Amino acid sequence: MALLIQTSLCKKLLCLSKALPVMSMKLSTEGTREYIISEKVGEKKNVGLVRLNRPKALNALCDGLITELTEAVSEYDADKTVGAIVVTGSERAFAAGADIKEMLHQTYSENLKVGLLEQWNNLSKCKKPVIAAVNGFALGGGCELAMMCDIIYAGEKARFGQPEISIGTIPGAGGTQRLTRSCGKSFAMEICLSGNQITAQEALTRGLVSKVFPPEKLVDEAIRLAEKISEHSPLIVALCKESVNYAYETSLTQGLQFEKKLFYSTFATDDRKEGMAAFTEKRKANFTNN
């Protein structure tokens, strides 16, 4: 009898062990995790949508949320059916900042050892375009997270700012650097040294965001842009993104040389040949990502 029970239990455990990897894979690619919701959207399901989902904390960026976010973006980056990615929050908050409670008792030596905030850089490594759809508050780490994305669309009620100065520290995930490059030294100094917030319209005027929409239309507009990008060759899109980022980080002379080399390199691709052939033949291009 004991042998029968043991055999039956082993069979159940074996079935469970076989089922677990499948369940884990499903949860790791799409669906609701602890801090985010991810899904493929758009008419052709070729856009990866990642929604920050920590509403009680206004999507404060704790380590767990950043881990889940970077994992989801990395998965969509590797997914051949996805052409672009949209990151958003709620209408109340994109992300109100980093999680201060997690950092409250950190020390200088601990920060050096664990590399505090270094995990955030993983978002910038994505080869596919990432669009931030910002409604509500994008403050501190939330503003920095938006600036890590390639394009920022904002809702009319969005608010941006780097208020770290008011709690005795400075931006640590690119706020002083990316804001300066996007909006200029004087404006970056004003925002970072005062801690003041700016509206979506002022962010548009300063070049921080591309477009402003009514809050209820924001995500749909971001998805529409992502769908448009996804129509093009993923290979060429990645090269173009790389070239723009190079301009953001280097001198004009270096940027022009880099752009020319990438331009030449497209002539070694099948998609460049197909794109130009389709144009001359007045038909839609059939890109193969080669």
Side-chain angles (χ1 to χ4, degrees):
M1 183 69 176
L3 181 60
L4 288 173
I5 293 174
Q6 186 176 9
T7 303
S8 175
L9 180 60
C10 286
K11 287 181 178 179
K12 288 181 180 178
L13 288 173
L14 181 60
C15 291
L16 182 59
S17 67
K18 288 180 178 179
L20 281 175
V22 176
M23 292 170 61
S24 176
M25 184 175 291
K26 184 177 180 181
L27 286 173
S28 68
T29 52
E30 285 199 300
T32 302
R33 309 185 203 192
E34 186 174 1
Y35 299 114
I36 68 168
I37 300 171
S38 58
E39 59 180 326
K40 292 181 188 177
V41 296
E43 192 173 320
K44 297 180 180 179
K45 301 297 181 184
N46 57 357
V47 175
L49 176 64
V50 183
R51 191 181 297 275
L52 310 185
N53 188 37
R54 200 183 175 204
K56 292 183 179 179
L58 295 179
N59 292 331
L61 302 167
C62 62
D63 284 343
L65 190 155
I66 292 296
T67 297
E68 291 183 3
L69 171 62
T70 54
E71 286 176 351
V73 169
S74 178
E75 287 160 10
Y76 284 135
D77 197 23
D79 189 333
K80 294 180 180 179
T81 68
V82 171
I85 302 162
V86 174
V87 177
T88 191
S90 65
E91 282 200 21
R92 190 179 177 194
F94 176 72
D99 195 322
I100 305 303
K101 291 180 181 179
E102 282 190 345
M103 295 189 288
L104 183 61
H105 300 295
Q106 289 290 103
T107 66
Y108 175 71
S109 61
E110 287 173 342
N111 290 344
L112 285 177
K113 292 172 185 176
V114 303
L116 184 66
L117 302 183
E118 284 185 6
Q119 184 185 191
W120 293 43
N121 296 332
N122 292 332
L123 184 65
S124 302
K125 297 176 183 178
C126 181
K127 293 181 180 179
K128 293 175 182 175
V130 182
I131 303 165
V134 178
N135 264 324
F137 296 111
L139 306 176
C143 186
E144 290 171 311
L145 177 62
M147 289 191 290
M148 287 180 187
C149 298
D150 302 301
I151 300 167
I152 306 176
Y153 273 9
E156 292 171 340
K157 297 179 181 179
R159 307 279 295 188
F160 297 86
Q162 299 290 162
E164 289 88 349
I165 199 80
S166 64
I167 57 170
T169 187
I170 69 170
T176 62
Q177 303 303 301
R178 290 189 173 94
L179 194 61
T180 303
R181 285 165 171 77
S182 296
C183 305
K185 176 185 173 182
S186 179
F187 186 73
M189 281 287 191
E190 179 185 345
I191 294 302
C192 292
L193 295 181
S194 69
N196 290 341
Q197 299 176 19
I198 62 170
T199 65
Q201 286 297 333
E202 187 167 6
L204 178 64
T205 301
R206 298 288 181 174
L208 182 60
V209 308
S210 297
K211 292 181 181 178
V212 175
F213 299 96
E216 67 277 8
K217 295 182 179 180
L218 173 67
V219 175
D220 287 341
E221 292 292 342
I223 292 171
R224 188 172 290 111
L225 175 63
E227 287 182 294
K228 176 64 177 178
I229 293 170
S230 299
E231 293 177 1
H232 307 308
S233 162
L235 177 62
I236 304 303
V237 166
L239 291 175
C240 193
K241 170 177 171 171
E242 185 180 4
S243 188
V244 173
N245 278 333
Y246 198 82
Y248 187 70
E249 297 164 1
T250 58
S251 70
L252 177 60
T253 299
Q254 291 172 310
L256 290 171
Q257 291 174 342
F258 185 75
E259 178 191 74
K260 193 78 70 181
K261 289 179 180 178
L262 287 187
F263 169 67
Y264 291 162
S265 75
T266 65
F267 282 73
T269 69
D270 293 337
D271 282 349
R272 193 280 310 171
K273 297 174 185 176
E274 167 62 13
M276 289 189 176
F279 177 81
T280 58
E281 296 167 12
K282 298 182 179 180
R283 61 175 175 82
K284 185 176 176 64
N286 181 27
F287 295 120
T288 59
N289 198 28
N290 291 307

